[in-house]
Amino acid sequence: MRGVARPAYLLGVRPKDSPGTDSGAHRYGGPTTGGAPVVPASPGSATGRQRVGAHAARGERHHGRRHPVHRAGPDRLRQDGVMPTLRIALAQVNPTVGDVAGNAALIRERSRQAAGAGAHLAVFPEMMLTGYPVEDLVFRDSFVAASRATLDRLAADLATDGLGGLPVLVGYLDADGPASANAEATPTRGPRNALAVLHGGRVVARYFKHHLPNYGVFDEDRYFVPGDTLTVVRIGGVDIALTICEDLWQAGGPFTVARRAGVGLVVNINGSPYELNKDDVRLPLVRRRAAEAEATIAYVNMVGGQDELVFDGDSMIVAADGTLLARAPQFVEHLLLHDLELPAGRADASTGTEPAQPVPAGVPEEMAITRVRVSDSLPAPAGPRVTGGVTEPVVDEGEVWQALELGLRDYVDKNGFRSVVLGLSGGIDSSLVAAIAVDALGPERVVGVSMPSQHSSEHSRDDAAELAKRTGLDYRVEPIQPMVDGFLANLSLSGMSVENLQARVRGVLLMALSNQEGHLVLTTGNKSELAVGYSTLYGDSVGGFNPLKDVWKSLVWKLANWRNAEAVRRGETPPIPENSIRKPPSAELSPGQLDSDTLPDYSVLDAILVGYVDGDQGRDDLVGAGHDPEVVDRVLRMVDIAEYKRRQSAPGPKISIKAFGRDRRLPITNRWRERP
């Protein structure tokens, strides 16, 4: 359609030199010595962002250019005239919400790895000890108490492990007063999103998150009280400011105060969920904060799936001048090790608390500064210089594939399911879900059920069988026509009621297999269908998890083509039959039925939906962008009246800027309509 701009992620390509991207500094291959993936990539994961080459020596050539050692801020030297060299370990790991003991064990394991690699400092993600987000678990005093007690025990356990000399930074849940839901709550005390420094068998410093996000998937104003003091710890003679996630995303606050404190390094621990192209936003953002603080930034993010959210890692280190020093791969656990030459702390800086500086009326009050001295010197780093390397980017389709794969795997494993089952129709959506499931779990944990009716085409049955053959999943055929006929013999139904009956019989069959054999049922509807309500409630929408919930139909085809091309590139058999990709989409619930009988062409539909759903555009905006007014009115009406269906839909991984569910919250009973 003329005059209509399609979003880059709908097209499956990353825009060049678009706002929020960093076109001037490409990501390069890095060393294997600076950090090794803890979990290998799965068979279906993308191959971009791979680590190549090795740079153990200072000034090693890097893609034809010589990269100097970068220093942060003024060249403050130790008394012996040497800049301190800090070997930092950023632990990009996968915690589980509520598994406090398991998360503590993971911290101990990765801390041992870091110490074994000669690290002077180990840093873990936001709310590492409890997992993130904990949501209303914040309101349970028992959960808060468990977090605090486990933190103290962890500090002692690290010392018992022989790691008491290694400062370990850990995100956890704290509280210095009752939650806001309690009548005794006060504005300045309550649950805290906190960071602790563990050293010598005890907690030696704490920091409370200052900026609390309250947009999109975040509700931190509901749960936490903001901190008003920046904690600066001196480790090995280097002053290090502590910050948490959103502190980085807003200007001012901790990073401005970090500059006033004269720190050499700012650590920022994160639980930053994935969305497509967010990695292109993070680097320019970290660079801005490095300039604001006039210090190196060490950014560590968690990895893994938590219900609808997927955390992609993408941990990095950026020098004060904006140079990207190291960057970890996405979607895998990784220990990013890097040697940093940092300025020594100011000689006149004393421990204790410095009050906030006075500000003019109407200007937000600055944070106070609390300084804690942990150690004044560091042992020389063992062996050759360690650089973490910079991981190369993944194409958009590969990035999304890894997010969907990780989100599904962790939902299945963390919730204790042995296997999954899905309806395998031979169409593009179920074929794509099956391929994702096989990559995520292995074919032995995936059951695909063909449930043909009298309207199921021969080619669809053949395509389903062919996919099963290619992927090796457990394939079964359960004809539903006798069951449908049983209903029709006892009910007088016609038209759409008969179509929906077929879908509901399939749903009953899948749920029966789930109950009998313990599978998690995967539903296969894409975001376009969810948006306009093109599904049968308690029919094809049945399931406990939906890998395609946030994937537009246009992107479904791109992902299928990418996965097949990736298989060819690796010398493997493409998992998805070409006919499933090429043929016109159809629910096959009536003779000759096609999606286009009910919906606009998906290229037209998705462009309108992206504007209305993701962009919150109104009718006038969409028509002004060049869309046909009649089509806009029709699509918007379908979206508006389908809210009740979406409210009952299964969770699925968020990959866009606005996913149904946590991101987009609209009333079901709602008479507001966009009108001409």
Side-chain angles (χ1 to χ4, degrees):
M1 185 174 295
R2 294 181 182 178
V4 179
R6 300 181 67 199
Y9 71 78
L10 194 58
L11 297 171
V13 295
R14 178 168 289 145
K16 303 298 182 186
D17 302 331
S18 62
T21 63
D22 178 56
S23 59
H26 214 57
R27 279 164 256 162
Y28 300 98
T32 55
T33 57
V38 179
V39 177
S42 63
S45 63
T47 57
R49 279 284 186 99
Q50 298 296 312
R51 312 187 69 76
V52 295
H55 309 279
R58 182 172 171 176
E60 179 75 13
R61 287 195 178 275
H62 204 26
H63 280 242
R65 297 187 296 171
R66 187 172 294 277
H67 283 240
V69 175
H70 292 269
R71 299 179 174 89
D75 285 348
R76 294 193 298 271
L77 308 179
R78 298 187 318 222
Q79 290 183 352
D80 60 7
V82 178
M83 291 273 284
T85 298
L86 180 79
R87 179 168 296 174
I88 191 170
L90 302 183
Q92 179 173 295
V93 292
N94 187 348
T96 299
V97 167
D99 186 8
V100 181
N103 295 335
L106 182 57
I107 294 168
R108 293 173 69 181
E109 178 185 342
R110 296 296 185 264
S111 296
R112 280 193 293 270
Q113 274 189 298
H120 300 123
L121 175 66
V123 186
F124 290 84
E126 179 178 13
M127 302 284 280
M128 172 68 205
L129 199 56
T130 57
Y132 182 83
V134 295
E135 303 187 54
D136 281 11
L137 286 171
V138 166
F139 299 136
R140 294 192 190 176
D141 292 343
S142 58
F143 187 68
V144 177
S147 172
R148 290 168 56 88
T150 304
L151 182 75
D152 291 335
R153 188 162 54 251
L154 174 62
D157 288 342
L158 287 168
T160 301
D161 293 342
L163 304 174
L166 174 70
V168 177
L169 277 56
V170 176
Y172 74 106
L173 172 62
D174 204 339
D176 55 4
S180 59
N182 191 302
E184 299 178 0
T186 64
T188 58
R189 293 183 178 274
R192 305 284 193 166
N193 186 332
L195 190 167
V197 180
L198 311 183
H199 184 259
R202 61 192 183 92
V203 179
V204 297
R206 302 176 197 263
Y207 168 76
F208 297 152
K209 188 174 183 178
H210 179 67
H211 290 308
L212 301 178
N214 208 55
Y215 54 85
V217 300
F218 303 106
D219 293 303
E220 293 206 3
D221 269 345
R222 167 183 170 91
Y223 299 120
F224 302 116
V225 174
D228 59 4
T229 301
L230 179 70
T231 301
V232 176
V233 293
R234 180 163 292 184
I235 296 175
V238 177
D239 285 342
I240 302 172
L242 309 181
T243 64
I244 302 175
C245 201
E246 187 71 13
D247 293 337
L248 180 89
W249 289 83
Q250 298 187 35
F255 284 82
T256 297
V257 178
R259 182 179 65 237
R260 175 161 65 89
V263 304
L265 176 68
V266 181
V267 166
N268 184 252
I269 66 170
N270 288 263
S272 178
Y274 169 78
E275 60 193 47
L276 182 57
N277 293 337
K278 193 173 185 178
D279 58 329
D280 290 332
V281 175
R282 287 186 182 122
L283 178 56
L285 177 68
V286 175
R287 283 179 164 146
R288 290 197 296 273
R289 295 297 167 262
E292 184 178 336
E294 296 181 358
T296 295
I297 309 295
Y299 169 104
V300 63
N301 190 24
M302 65 177 57
V303 67
Q306 171 58 30
D307 296 343
E308 300 101 324
L309 302 181
V310 178
F311 299 94
D312 60 320
D314 195 30
S315 303
M316 68 184 79
I317 302 172
V318 173
D321 65 1
T323 301
L324 177 61
L325 302 178
R327 195 168 193 174
Q330 290 176 284
F331 306 108
V332 293
E333 292 191 286
H334 189 85
L335 190 66
L336 184 65
L337 290 157
H338 193 84
D339 286 353
L340 291 169
E341 287 193 359
L342 298 168
R346 293 188 336 216
D348 61 347
S350 58
T351 57
T353 299
E354 304 170 17
Q357 292 186 342
V359 295
V363 176
E365 185 176 333
E366 271 206 5
M367 303 173 72
I369 300 172
T370 291
R371 296 181 183 270
V372 177
R373 190 182 301 269
V374 176
S375 62
D376 288 312
S377 61
L378 294 171
R385 183 175 191 86
V386 171
T387 57
V390 180
T391 309
E392 294 184 353
V394 174
V395 297
D396 284 356
E397 295 90 344
E399 187 178 286
V400 170
W401 189 277
Q402 289 182 90
L404 301 177
E405 183 184 338
L406 178 58
L408 173 59
R409 181 190 307 117
D410 273 5
Y411 191 85
V412 170
D413 290 344
K414 290 181 179 181
N415 285 291
F417 289 98
R418 298 189 304 273
S419 54
V420 297
V421 63
L422 71 149
L424 201 56
S425 68
I428 183 62
D429 293 326
S430 66
S431 297
L432 187 66
V433 170
I436 293 169
V438 168
D439 281 354
L441 305 171
E444 68 282 355
R445 298 178 68 188
V446 181
V447 178
V449 186
S450 172
M451 296 172 283
S453 73
Q454 63 180 357
H455 303 301
S456 299
S457 63
E458 193 66 33
H459 63 75
S460 290
R461 301 184 197 192
D462 291 344
D463 291 339
E466 177 63 19
L467 181 138
K469 179 181 176 182
R470 294 183 182 194
T471 60
L473 58 77
D474 180 354
Y475 180 60
R476 308 177 190 180
V477 179
E478 299 286 351
I480 66 165
Q481 196 59 48
M483 304 177 216
V484 172
D485 291 342
F487 277 98
L488 294 178
N490 292 278
L491 292 170
S492 179
L493 301 177
S494 62
M496 186 176 292
S497 297
V498 177
E499 295 181 23
N500 289 341
L501 174 62
Q502 297 169 67
R504 290 188 174 116
V505 166
R506 290 181 173 122
V508 168
L509 200 157
L510 290 174
M511 289 307 302
L513 289 174
S514 172
N515 293 156
Q516 182 67 28
E517 301 177 5
H519 312 297
L520 171 68
V521 178
L522 300 182
T523 185
T524 60
N526 59 69
K527 189 175 184 178
S528 306
E529 295 172 346
L530 285 169
V532 298
Y534 191 61
S535 64
T536 301
L537 199 59
Y538 319 124
D540 56 329
S541 64
V542 155
F545 195 75
N546 182 359
L548 302 185
K549 184 173 184 176
D550 199 28
V551 180
W552 298 112
K553 185 75 169 190
S554 302
L555 185 53
V556 166
W557 279 302
K558 291 183 179 297
L559 289 172
N561 281 315
W562 174 85
R563 182 62 183 89
N564 277 2
E566 184 69 7
V568 171
R569 188 188 68 79
R570 294 196 302 234
E572 301 168 356
T573 301
I576 302 173
E578 196 62 34
N579 193 50
S580 294
I581 301 173
R582 287 198 312 262
K583 65 186 177 186
S586 169
E588 293 192 339
L589 297 174
S590 62
Q593 183 183 43
L594 296 173
D595 288 10
S596 56
D597 299 337
T598 305
L599 303 175
D601 183 89
Y602 280 110
S603 62
V604 174
L605 176 64
D606 283 359
I608 295 173
L609 292 175
V610 167
Y612 190 52
V613 174
D614 289 358
D616 287 317
Q617 293 179 334
R619 179 188 185 276
D620 292 346
D621 300 319
L622 294 166
V623 173
H627 297 292
D628 184 297
E630 291 186 5
V631 177
V632 169
D633 291 340
R634 179 180 160 210
V635 170
L636 267 53
R637 182 180 184 278
M638 287 191 288
V639 173
D640 290 344
I641 66 175
E643 186 61 36
Y644 76 101
K645 286 187 177 182
R646 288 190 292 273
R647 193 71 68 88
Q648 300 178 66
S649 63
K654 167 184 166 67
I655 59 107
S656 76
I657 192 170
K658 182 170 287 188
F660 289 129
R662 297 171 66 102
D663 263 336
R664 188 176 187 268
R665 310 176 196 183
L666 291 175
I668 297 173
T669 305
N670 172 24
R671 291 189 179 181
W672 171 255
R673 296 290 183 267
E674 296 280 342
R675 292 184 174 87

